[in-house]
Amino acid sequence: MIRRHRIARLLATACVAAAVAGCGLTGDDQPTVAAPPPVEKARVKIGVLPVVDVAPLHIAIKNGYFESEGLEVETVTVQGGAAAIPSLIQGGLDITFGNWVSFLATESKGDAKGVGGIKLINDGYQAKPGMFLILVKGNGTIKTMQDLIGKRIAINTLNNISELTTKAVLEAHDIDPKQVTLLAMPMPDMEAAIERNSVDAGFMSEPFISKAQRNSGQLAILDAASGPTDAIPIAGYGTTGDFARQHPNTIAAFQRAMAKGQRDASDRATVQALLPDYAGVDRDTARLVHLGEFPTSLDPKRLQRVATLMKTYGLLQADLDVAPMLVRS
């Protein structure tokens, strides 16, 4: 008898819990999902580069992912992360795409302390072989990596992922990074600069690699995403601590839209179709580009690897814990 009463009480408790969970809904009732809170700022200015890396953002714009989150995105072309961060700090941009090296260096030096520091809000791109190359003139005198000693290499901005990976791979091949000269130059200008001998080599990402190889016959002399930098995280999206604190719903809406864009970018055809529109390349070149990975999560362990390499090669003067910089969705 006691056992039957105990079973009855357990069944009653289970029924109450099931009813609270919604299993007691009639056929006409539908469970409701709370809508996300409204964004604090509907129109956001985002710094971007005309490179493959930002394909997910353009996918999200084209497919209406931002619009469905209540956001209107205005893109502003920047030369690189190092060049965009001052505008971010000064309020000219709300969010910017940039390489992790520039974000971490800015945080380490305290340059963004007055605006709450740098916050990292979305991963963007991760290296794969063939997508980070140093190119030289096809009929020039540079034939091996050793021939780079004493030469001028163009990179889009100094103190960024290009400088870090170049130094790491040169050293891995027994070349002292101090034996080359790194010059800042916009990536779209590198092909012509190499051809007229203004520089000896250029560090390019896609679509500029395929464009230079196809148009001028330039050759890859070094893969900067190899050896110590294999599969290294490259870039993502950041904002200031003040903006993240004052606009949490806006940041969350941005992250939700970007998650869909990053997911869609895993389809090569989707990325390829967009390149002529925002990167200024013809469709034949777009079909040749090498693509990296488009991560769908922001992983502190993965980004910590960048900070460790930066300390090794002198781009950070002290250890930096990346985890507190992340704003997780």
Side-chain angles (χ1 to χ4, degrees):
M1 181 67 71
I2 294 174
R3 185 181 178 190
R4 285 201 298 270
H5 283 307
R6 185 182 179 192
I7 293 173
R9 284 198 303 271
L10 290 172
L11 288 173
T13 301
C15 288
V16 170
V20 171
C23 67
L25 294 175
T26 66
D28 294 331
D29 292 329
Q30 294 294 329
T32 58
V33 178
V39 299
E40 300 87 0
K41 186 171 186 180
R43 182 179 176 85
V44 290
K45 295 179 71 172
I46 302 178
V48 297
L49 283 78
V51 292
V52 168
D53 316 30
V54 296
L57 180 108
H58 291 281
I59 292 170
I61 293 172
K62 181 178 180 180
N63 290 350
Y65 299 151
F66 289 114
E67 184 179 357
S68 67
E69 293 288 349
L71 291 177
E72 179 184 353
V73 169
E74 177 187 352
T75 59
V76 179
T77 300
V78 297
Q79 182 173 330
I85 289 174
S87 182
L88 184 73
I89 293 171
Q90 294 160 15
L93 297 170
D94 300 312
I95 296 168
T96 191
F97 178 83
N99 70 90
W100 297 128
V101 170
S102 295
F103 283 132
L104 300 185
T106 299
E107 180 69 10
S108 177
K109 291 185 291 185
D111 292 347
K113 188 175 181 180
V115 290
I118 294 294
K119 294 298 180 183
L120 309 178
I121 60 174
N122 213 90
D123 208 335
Y125 209 41
Q126 183 169 312
K128 285 177 64 176
M131 48 139 301
F132 248 19
L133 301 179
I134 291 182
L135 301 183
V136 298
K137 187 182 289 189
N139 58 356
T141 58
I142 300 176
K143 304 298 183 183
T144 70
M145 274 190 278
Q146 293 295 325
D147 294 333
L148 289 172
I149 295 174
K151 299 299 192 295
R152 302 156 297 171
I153 303 175
I155 61 176
N156 65 325
T157 55
L158 298 172
N159 300 314
N160 72 347
I161 192 72
S162 302
E163 180 173 344
L164 174 64
T165 54
T166 297
K167 288 181 174 180
V169 175
L170 285 174
E171 191 169 276
H173 288 83
D174 299 321
I175 300 173
D176 186 343
K178 294 178 182 178
Q179 292 179 291
V180 302
T181 300
L182 302 179
L183 302 173
M185 178 182 294
M187 214 170 286
D189 299 341
M190 292 182 188
E191 178 188 347
I194 293 170
E195 290 303 303
R196 62 172 180 266
N197 299 315
S198 298
V199 294
D200 302 295
F203 184 113
M204 302 185 208
S205 61
E206 293 288 15
F208 302 105
I209 293 171
S210 294
K211 186 177 179 183
Q213 290 176 329
R214 187 166 181 264
N215 294 346
S216 303
Q218 293 183 2
L219 301 174
I221 202 71
L222 184 155
D223 189 333
S226 62
T229 57
D230 180 55
I232 190 170
I234 296 173
Y237 297 83
T239 188
T240 65
D242 285 354
F243 188 88
R245 187 185 70 256
Q246 296 164 10
H247 306 86
N249 300 338
T250 303
I251 295 298
F254 173 84
Q255 291 172 323
R256 288 192 295 270
M258 282 300 301
K260 296 176 183 176
Q262 294 284 124
R263 175 202 65 198
D264 291 357
S266 63
D267 176 37
R268 178 183 175 85
T270 300
V271 175
Q272 181 180 303
L274 277 179
L275 288 177
D277 297 331
Y278 79 85
V281 298
D282 59 84
R283 299 196 178 279
D284 288 338
T285 300
R287 284 195 287 267
L288 300 174
V289 298
H290 296 82
L291 297 183
E293 299 284 349
F294 297 97
T296 56
S297 64
L298 198 56
D299 184 351
K301 291 182 180 179
R302 197 163 61 230
L303 298 190
Q304 193 63 48
R305 179 185 170 203
V306 180
T308 300
L309 277 174
M310 289 175 68
K311 176 76 181 306
T312 299
Y313 293 102
L315 275 68
L316 283 181
Q317 300 307 310
D319 293 331
L320 176 66
D321 184 7
V322 173
M325 297 177 65
L326 273 58
V327 178
R328 308 290 286 275
S329 60

